[in-house]
Every structure is written in structure tokens, then in C-alpha cells.
């Protein structure tokens, strides 16, 4: 029997129901926090368009975060979240800033959520979202009171784990039913999001596509680099020597990524020649990218800076408004459901 599109729309809405209820939004789509990019304009635009914007706190001080939250609240009355990095030395103060400002959802990224921060978020009445890189941790987080999970595959932009979303989703989604799970990494089309919702995901988180949106404050050079790039151009940072670990970060290949290899080679040579001890050599490698994301996003230095991007970058073909991106994702998912009904 041929189903009319409105049924497909209802089915799409129903598949998102859990995620929408958790986020308090029209669509179960989160804008992944992106340092320097996910500030008041992009976050408010995503929330105003029916998605869920998330402020990237990054290395902001509590005072800066407080101002950013207030500015975002002035631009949207819709729910949005704040992403805090667990390594931040003032994590507990940042949590208090979120709670005082009545932020409804706090995302703790960059590691296992520390107990005191987790309890503070929960006692303060906000919902806690954490990243689960494996099923054992997903199960543990669900037991310790985390309210929702993001599973982010290695296709994602920025800091990444080793496992793709295709595999993480199969390992985790069938086993975590008590709390909502949002999928992230490499998502650029509605059909793919639909597939994960049907596997049991509550919603999806996208970064790269929103970074190149009209409302993103990223420099035009940054957005143009996204438009030109193919999936294969977004590669993880390369580690030259196993004695000097490099944190895997996915971004576009450029002069900076080439210089990083040369810098590692030089540093290893200095270490071997006894000119640098191991700690100094490791620090020299770690400091190479200091300030590099800001240089790319804000100053537009897409050759020397760090142009973090997911493999989804190949699906960025133009600078579109956040509302158009969300409408396109929805249209693709609904069209897939209509096509399926027609096959029956
Ligand atoms: C430029 C950029 C910066 C990012 N910065 C952060 C960050 O500060 N904190 C974080 O938890 N994730 C960060 N991410 C990851 C995103 O929140 C999101 O999970 C990821 O982009 C999803 O994959 P996609 O880009 O393929 O959509 C960043 C991603 C990009 C592209």
C-alpha cells in the first residue's frame, strides 16, 4: 500500500521522540560543540531552528563562559547546552556557572566525567551528557547517573577515538536502552541519521556541516576550505615516533600538518642527540598546535592553522543557513521513508 508523505513525516518525528523529549527540541539533532566556532551566534541559530546548540567552553575562564551563556540566552529562548572539557583546571567553577545560569544540559567531554562534577551537575538539576568510547564505559556511565551519551566515531572532526561510528553504533546501541544515545561522526545526510535512529539512537550530533553554515562566525577562508575539501582530505594527525605520542585530531591536510611532521622529526633528533630530555621533547611536540585552531577559525589562516574537520566535510558543498541544513536533513530522511513505503 502506498503511504502518503505525511505518514513518513510522522514516522520521522516518532523516531526522534525520545531525543526531542530529552533535549526539549523540535528535532533530535545536536550541534556538536566546536571550540571557537560554537559560540552565541551558531548556538542560538541551531536552537532557534529547532535543533540543540551547544556552547564549546574550551579553555574559557568562568567569567567568559558566564558572559557567553548570557549572550546566547539573549539570542534564543530555546534550550541549549554547554560542553565542558574535563581537564579544565576550573571545571567545578564552570559547572557552577552553568547551574547559576540555569543551563539545562551540561556535556562533559575529553575523558571520564569526574565524580564531583557529575554529582554537582545532577544535584544542580541539570542533565549530564557524556561521551562513551566503548560499551563497558557506556554501561558504567548509565549506572553512575549520566543522563545521555554521545557515541562519536573516528570519522568526526577534532579529537577522535580509534573506532568508526559504524562499529560503535553496532556495539553500543543494542545494549544501552535505559538512557538516550546520540550518534556523531561523519554524518552529513538525513538518510544516515534515519538509519541510526532505527538502530536505536535517540538522535544525532553534527559538527562539520554547522561549522560551514551562514551563522557560523568561522572565517570565510575556513568555510571555503570546507567547501573545497573531500572526505579523504580530513585525516587524523600523524605520530612519527611511538616514544612521543600524538593525540589524534582529525583535520584538513595543509602546510601546518606537513610542518608538524618535520617538527616531530627535528624534535626526535634533538632528543637522540641529548639536546632535549624526554619531557621537553614531548612538550615541544604538544605545543606545536597551541592556538592553531583559533588561527584557522578566526584569523582564516587555513594553511598554517588547524582546520579541524570530519570526513563529513566532503558533503559540505555550499555555505547554507542552519535552518536550511536542518530542513535538508529532514527532507532526506522523510524521502527515504517515503521511498520505503512505496517499495512495500
Ligand atoms: C572545528 C571543530 C572543533 C571541535 N571542537 C570540539 C570541542 O571543543 N569539544 C568537543 O567535545 N568536540 C569538538 N569537536 C567535535 C564535534 O563536537 C562533533 O562531535 C564532531 O564534529 C562530529 O563529527 P562531524 O564533524 O563529522 O559532524 C570539534 C569538531 C570540529 C569540526
Amino acid at each position: 500500500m502506498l503511504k502518503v508523505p505525511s505518514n513518513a513525516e510522522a514516522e520521522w518525528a516518532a523516531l526522534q521522540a525520545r531525543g526531542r523529549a530529552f533535549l526539549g527540541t523540535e528535532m533530535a539533532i545536536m550541534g556538536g560543540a566546536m571550540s571557537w566556532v560554537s559560540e552565541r551566534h551558531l548556538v542560538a541559530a541551531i536552537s532557534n531552528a529547532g535543533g540543540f546548540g551547544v556552547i564549546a567552553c574550551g579553555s574559557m575562564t568562568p567569567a567568559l563562559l558566564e558572559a557567553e551563556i548570557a549572550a546566547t540566552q539573549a539570542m534564543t529562548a530555546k534550550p541549549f547546552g554547554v560542553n565542558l572539557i574535563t581537564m579544565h583546571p576550573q571545571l567545578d567553577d564552570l559547572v557552577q556557572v552553568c547551574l547559576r545560569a540555569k543551563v539545562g544540559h551540561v556535556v562533559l567531554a575529553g575523558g571520564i566525567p569526574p565524580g564531583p562534577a557529575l554529582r554537582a551537575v545532577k544535584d544542580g538539576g541539570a542533565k549530564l551528557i557524556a561521551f562513551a568510547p566503548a560499551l563497558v564505559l557506556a554501561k558504567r556511565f548509565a549506572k553512575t547517573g549520566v543522563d545521555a551519551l554521545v557515541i562519536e566515531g573516528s570519522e568526526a572532526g577534532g579529537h577522535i577515538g580509534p573506532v568508526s561510528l559504524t562499529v560503535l553504533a553496532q556495539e553500543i546501541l543494542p545494549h544501552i536502552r535505559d538512557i538516550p544515545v546520540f550518534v556523531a561522526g561523519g554524518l552529513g545526510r538525513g538518510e544516515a541519521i534515519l538509519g541510526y535512529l532505527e538502530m536505536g539512537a535517540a538522535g544525532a550530533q553534527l559538527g562539520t556541516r554547522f561549522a560551514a553554515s551562514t551563522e557560523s562566525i568561522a572565517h570565510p577562508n575556513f568555510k571555503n576550505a570546507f567547501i573545497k575539501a573531500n572526505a579523504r582530505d580530513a585525516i587524523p594527525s600523524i605520530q612519527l615516533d611511538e616514544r612521543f605520542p600524538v593525540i589524534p585530531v582529525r583535520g584538513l591536510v595543509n602546510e601546518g600538518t606537513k610542518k608538524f611532521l618535520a617538527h616531530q622529526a627535528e624534535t626526535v633528533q634533538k632528543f637522540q642527540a641529548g639536546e632535549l630530555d624526554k619531557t621537553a621533547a614531548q612538550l615541544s611536540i604538544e605545543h606545536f598546535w597551541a592556538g592553531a585552531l583559533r588561527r584557522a577559525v578566526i584569523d582564516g589562516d587555513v594553511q598554517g592553522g588547524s582546520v579541524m574537520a570530519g570526513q563529513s566535510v566532503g558533503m559540505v558543498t555550499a555555505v547554507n543557513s542552519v535552518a536550511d541544513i536542518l530542513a535538508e536533513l529532514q527532507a532526506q530522511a522523510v524521502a527515504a521513508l517515503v521511498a520505503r513505503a512505496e517499495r512495500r
Side-chain angles (χ1 to χ4, degrees), residues 32-35 37 56 58 83 85 109 131 152 155-159 184-187 205-209 211 222 226 293 297 308-312:
M34 295 175 279
S35 294
V37 182
N83 175 304
I85 311 281
F131 285 81
E152 190 190 55
E155 304 93 327
H159 292 80
L187 297 173
Q205 165 165 303
L206 279 69
T208 296
R209 287 219 55 193
F222 192 85
F226 274 34
L293 179 60
V297 173
M308 292 183 189
Q311 291 183 325
S312 49

Side-chain angles (χ1 to χ4, degrees), residues 117-190:
L118 185 146
R119 278 190 296 280
V121 171
K122 304 277 298 176
D123 293 348
K127 294 191 172 96
L128 183 81
I129 306 174
F131 285 81
L135 180 60
V136 272
L137 284 172
K139 283 185 174 163
R140 198 166 112 198
F141 291 172
K143 272 198 202 123
T144 51
V146 169
D147 296 295
L149 299 173
V150 176
I151 55 172
E152 190 190 55
S154 56
E155 304 93 327
H159 292 80
I160 49 169
V163 184
S164 68
L165 179 59
T166 317
V167 171
L168 276 184
Q170 295 174 79
E171 284 184 354
I172 296 179
L173 291 177
H175 305 289
I176 303 289
R177 295 295 191 201
D178 296 344
I179 57 172
V181 181
F182 293 82
V183 288
L187 297 173
R189 292 190 60 100

